[in-house]
Amino acid sequence: MKWEGNRESDNVEDRRGSDGGGGGGGFPIGGRGIGIGTVVLALIGWGVFGINPLTTIGVLSGGGSPQVQQQAPAQRPAGNDQGAKFVSTVLASTEDVWTQIFREGGAQYRNPKLVLYTGVTRTACGTGQAAMGPFYCPGDQKVYLDMDFFNTMSRQLGAPGQFAQAYVIAHEVGHHVQNLLGVSDKVDAMRGRVSEREQNAASVRLELQADCLAGIWANKSQQAKSWLEQGDIESAMNAAQQIGDDKLQREATGTVRPDSFTHGSSAQRVRWFTQGYKTGSMKACDTFSAQSL
C-alpha cells in the first residue's frame, strides 16, 4: 500500500502514556461501542467478551451525549511516529471519501476523531479496553484504537498487511457514517422490543453494512490515489474472514451457534466488503433490505 506522502488527518488524538491507565470511575464499555468484531473471543474464550452494537447511544436522536470524564489536553502524535502517520493518512482518506459522498447526497459529513491509546481509556461510552479491539463510540463520535491490535491481527489472527489495518479503520469509520445517517439509532431502538435472536440478527446487518462501507472507501480511495498494490484487497478480505463469528466461535469452543452471531460469518463479511469495493455504491450496501446476507 503506497500511503506515504499523502495528506494526514488533523483529527488524531494521541493519549498513549497520558491516560494514567484510564482507571477511576466510569463503567465498562460492555456494549456501548461498535467494534470491528468480537476478535478476542478466539484468544480468551467465547462468552467472556462480546460487544453488542444494539446498545449504542443515539446522539443524533436529540437525547444528547453522556458526560465524559476530564481528559488531559488532546495531543497530536509525534511527527516521526510511522504507525501514527499511517493511521492519520488512512483517516484523512476516509474524510475525503465520505465528505465527497455526503456532498453528492446533499448532506455535510462531520469528521470523527480517532484516539490512539494504550491499555484502557475513558470514553463517552465508558471505559474502553484494548482487549475489545478497535471500536467506535457514538456518544463522542470517536474511533478508539490501541495499535497493539495490529500485532494481534498479524500474529494471532492470521491477518497481516497494512491494507488489512486500513480496513479495520475504515470499518469503524463506517459505523460513524451509520451514526450520522441515523442507521445506528434505528437499530438501537429495537433494544428491549424484540427477542435476543432478533437483536443479534439486526446487529449482524449493522456490522455487515459497516464492512460494505469500508469497501466503498477502498473503491473511492483507490480511484483518487491509486495507492493499492497487488495483494492489498486480498489482505483486507482475509482480515474480514479471520474475524467472522463462525471462525472465532469454532476456534474458541469447537462449535458454531449462528443464532448468537452479532457480526456475521466469515463468508458474509468478505461478501459485503467485496460488494462495497466492486460497486462503490451506497445503495449496494443496504444490508437491512437484503433477503440473503
Side-chain angles (χ1 to χ4, degrees):
M1 182 179 180
K2 299 178 289 187
W3 61 271
E4 295 92 340
N6 287 285
R7 182 179 77 85
E8 296 178 35
S9 174
D10 294 327
N11 292 305
V12 176
E13 177 184 340
D14 194 351
R15 296 184 188 173
R16 293 171 296 178
S18 65
D19 261 327
F27 42 85
I29 201 165
R32 299 201 173 212
I34 312 177
I36 186 69
T38 47
V39 292
V40 294
L41 294 181
L43 308 180
I44 62 176
W46 181 256
V48 178
F49 162 76
I51 295 178
N52 182 358
L54 295 172
T55 58
T56 57
I57 304 169
V59 297
L60 297 182
S61 62
S65 303
Q67 294 298 312
V68 187
Q69 295 183 7
Q70 186 65 39
Q71 293 282 349
Q75 296 182 351
R76 295 286 305 279
N80 61 352
D81 186 332
Q82 283 297 103
K85 288 174 72 69
F86 169 75
V87 169
S88 299
T89 301
V90 172
L91 183 65
S93 175
T94 68
E95 293 168 351
D96 295 342
V97 166
W98 289 111
T99 294
Q100 180 63 30
I101 291 175
F102 270 58
R103 183 181 296 124
E104 291 172 355
Q108 183 175 1
Y109 181 67
R110 295 199 299 272
N111 295 332
K113 298 283 187 178
L114 191 151
V115 178
L116 301 176
Y117 73 101
T118 303
V120 294
T121 194
R122 297 184 181 96
T123 82
C125 299
T127 300
Q129 303 178 25
M132 304 159 64
F135 62 91
Y136 170 69
C137 175
D140 53 25
Q141 298 191 15
K142 293 181 179 182
V143 173
Y144 290 86
L145 171 65
D146 184 325
M147 287 201 294
D148 283 344
F149 176 74
F150 291 154
N151 292 327
T152 299
M153 284 179 61
S154 178
R155 298 173 184 174
Q156 296 176 266
L157 296 178
Q162 285 185 325
F163 198 69
Q165 298 171 9
Y167 152 70
V168 168
I169 297 169
H171 174 98
E172 298 309 329
V173 172
H175 284 308
H176 177 65
V177 171
Q178 290 173 318
N179 188 27
L180 296 181
L181 295 176
V183 177
S184 302
D185 286 351
K186 292 179 180 179
V187 174
D188 187 48
M190 298 174 60
R191 181 160 44 99
R193 299 180 180 180
V194 298
S195 67
E196 181 178 357
R197 179 176 179 177
E198 291 171 312
Q199 288 181 349
N200 288 343
S203 170
V204 166
R205 291 179 184 269
L206 190 72
E207 292 294 334
L208 294 179
Q209 185 177 69
D211 282 332
C212 191
L213 297 178
I216 289 180
W217 163 78
N219 174 297
K220 301 298 185 182
S221 70
Q222 174 65 358
Q223 288 183 24
K225 301 179 183 297
S226 298
W227 61 353
L228 298 185
E229 299 179 286
Q230 184 175 2
D232 280 343
I233 289 297
E234 289 78 9
S235 72
M237 291 192 293
N238 175 61
Q241 183 171 354
Q242 298 303 324
I243 55 178
D245 283 332
D246 55 339
K247 186 176 189 301
L248 294 176
Q249 287 186 9
R250 187 177 296 108
E251 292 184 354
T253 68
T255 60
V256 175
R257 297 185 295 123
D259 287 350
S260 68
F261 287 1
T262 57
H263 290 71
S265 69
S266 294
Q268 289 170 337
R269 300 198 73 161
V270 170
R271 175 192 170 191
W272 284 99
F273 172 81
T274 304
Q275 175 101 331
Y277 177 67
K278 287 186 175 180
T279 66
S281 167
M282 292 289 286
K283 292 182 179 179
C285 289
D286 186 3
T287 57
F288 292 91
S289 296
Q291 293 186 351
S292 173
L293 296 175

